[in-house]
Amino acid sequence: MTVARPPAMIIESCSLKQALNRLGETLEQAAPRSSMRPAPANDNQPDFFVPSLYDIPVKDGVDLMDVAVFRLSKRHQRKGDVLRYQLHGAQVEVTAGGYGMASVWDYDLVLMCISHLAEAVRRHRDGKGKPPTRTFRPHVKEVLKFCRLSDGGQQYEAVEKSLDRLKNTTVKITRTNRNAKLRATAGFGLIETYKVISRTDTGCVSTIEIVIPEWIYEAVVTHDNPQILTVNPDYFLIDKGLARFVYRLARKSAGTDRARYLFKTIYERSGSAASFKEFCRMMRQIVVANDLPDFHLAEEVGKDGPILCMTARALLARVA
């Protein structure tokens, strides 16, 4: 026989449940969520030589580390989308193909290409090897090792999908010289072409071949003093796309000092599809966690809105 509960008990039970749910939500919002993921189990195994991680800040005088030439979301593919950024004297457009826009995690392969070229050039100048060509043939295990990813079947498949998106994401830069009444436009891909060698019995990718775009090759190999920045290897462990963009911005702008950006400016340069209110919430999660490599983050109040202050941890250590 079912015994009916008195109305007062039902109301009290519902109120208690609602209170507990609200408490849980409050605690979840208050607890800082790390921007970093754990390193994979095989991270310290010296199976392959991994060169230093580099990025190129300059393309034809336009600093691509100032804007996101990739999507920051893991979920939204952004097929056919176009991101537009207005910089001083130039407009940058990033266009996605049918496979979706390349993500900031796909861009790790571009960083690997840059690192490969930089290391090969260094060895050549030391008399230890030939100058590098634009063709790069890493084993997929080297890719996973470089990107600090676990060695698994899904990761192998993900590499090929990343190559599809990189191949079909293009960047266009338009510069205008108003005095000379000239307008120049240049377009390029994040990679030029690729090939994948897979085993027919297992379907697993074994070797890939990437033809590195001319704009990357020229920036690293042919310049006497290439404009290259060294990036902390823990960058690969940054799990949030926006946090990766913030690190890149800090590395380029703050360096060994400090830099300040309006949240609104970062929002406009990140290509975020979120509302500005949601973007600010995500930014504050990153600031509260404050666990990005090399840089201390803090929020300041500005007359034009919230400001992100990025300070090199090494500078803070010297001051202390």
Side-chain angles (χ1 to χ4, degrees):
M1 181 178 70
T2 302
V3 179
R5 298 170 64 188
M9 291 180 63
I10 295 175
I11 294 173
E12 183 178 351
S13 176
C14 290
S15 299
L16 178 60
K17 184 176 180 181
Q18 292 171 354
L20 290 173
N21 287 339
R22 285 197 297 270
L23 177 61
E25 292 173 359
T26 302
L27 291 174
E28 184 179 358
Q29 293 172 0
R33 298 179 181 178
S34 175
S35 302
M36 313 291 289
R37 62 173 172 83
N42 65 340
D43 196 53
N44 294 322
Q45 295 177 7
D47 296 334
F48 298 98
F49 171 71
V50 178
S52 298
L53 174 63
Y54 296 99
D55 202 356
I56 303 174
V58 174
K59 164 62 182 172
D60 293 338
V62 176
D63 200 332
L64 294 184
M65 289 185 77
D66 270 341
V67 295
V69 292
F70 32 63
R71 60 181 166 90
L72 303 182
S73 171
K74 290 182 178 179
R75 291 183 301 167
H76 304 296
Q77 296 293 309
R78 306 196 70 162
K79 295 181 180 180
D81 275 10
V82 180
L83 304 179
R84 292 183 175 88
Y85 306 107
Q86 188 63 51
L87 302 178
H88 180 67
Q91 184 184 68
V92 179
E93 291 186 2
V94 184
T95 304
Y99 291 98
M101 183 175 292
S103 72
V104 66
W105 299 274
D106 298 332
Y107 194 77
D108 290 350
L109 285 169
V110 177
L111 296 182
M112 188 177 187
C113 291
I114 296 169
S115 298
H116 157 73
L117 289 178
E119 178 63 21
V121 168
R122 184 191 66 79
R123 290 178 59 82
H124 172 63
R125 290 174 179 171
D126 290 343
K128 298 178 180 178
K130 297 179 180 180
T133 68
R134 289 172 55 200
T135 302
F136 180 38
R137 297 186 182 92
H139 192 281
V140 71
K141 286 183 178 290
E142 293 178 281
V143 174
L144 298 178
K145 184 72 176 177
F146 184 88
C147 299
R148 304 184 73 176
L149 295 170
S150 59
D151 187 355
Q154 289 185 339
Q155 301 287 14
Y156 284 58
E157 297 172 4
V159 169
E160 185 171 346
K161 292 179 180 178
S162 291
L163 291 168
D164 279 331
R165 290 188 290 266
L166 289 167
K167 171 68 176 67
N168 291 279
T169 298
T170 58
V171 180
K172 183 171 74 171
I173 297 176
T174 302
R175 299 176 65 90
T176 303
N177 184 328
R178 295 183 178 179
N179 293 333
K181 298 182 179 180
L182 295 176
R183 179 177 178 270
T185 300
F188 52 92
L190 297 180
I191 63 172
E192 188 160 313
T193 61
Y194 78 88
K195 293 180 182 177
V196 172
I197 307 300
S198 305
R199 291 184 59 90
T200 57
D201 54 346
T202 64
C204 287
V205 175
S206 58
T207 303
I208 63 177
E209 177 181 291
I210 300 173
V211 176
I212 299 171
E214 187 176 355
W215 68 275
I216 292 179
Y217 187 84
E218 288 182 351
V220 179
V221 177
T222 63
H223 286 187
D224 293 334
N225 185 26
Q227 298 290 318
I228 298 177
L229 292 177
T230 305
V231 183
N232 193 308
D234 284 347
Y235 166 85
F236 281 128
L237 300 180
I238 302 176
D239 192 46
K240 299 178 179 179
L242 179 57
R244 283 188 167 212
F245 180 69
V246 169
Y247 175 85
R248 289 170 57 85
L249 200 60
R251 179 63 188 89
K252 177 263 173 182
S253 302
T256 57
D257 203 332
R258 57 169 54 93
R260 298 163 75 247
Y261 279 88
L262 284 167
F263 275 29
K264 186 70 173 178
T265 301
I266 301 175
Y267 177 65
E268 291 169 351
R269 295 188 180 185
S270 70
S272 175
S275 66
F276 183 60
K277 180 179 180 180
E278 174 64 14
F279 176 86
C280 290
R281 184 190 68 80
M282 293 188 293
M283 282 288 295
R284 290 186 173 111
Q285 283 186 344
I286 296 169
V287 172
V288 170
N290 195 23
D291 56 359
L292 296 185
D294 301 332
F295 297 99
H296 176 275
L297 305 179
E299 181 183 350
E300 298 177 355
V301 178
K303 64 177 183 179
D304 295 320
I307 296 172
L308 177 67
C309 181
M310 305 171 285
T311 306
R313 296 186 190 276
L315 176 64
L316 294 177
R318 289 196 299 272
V319 172

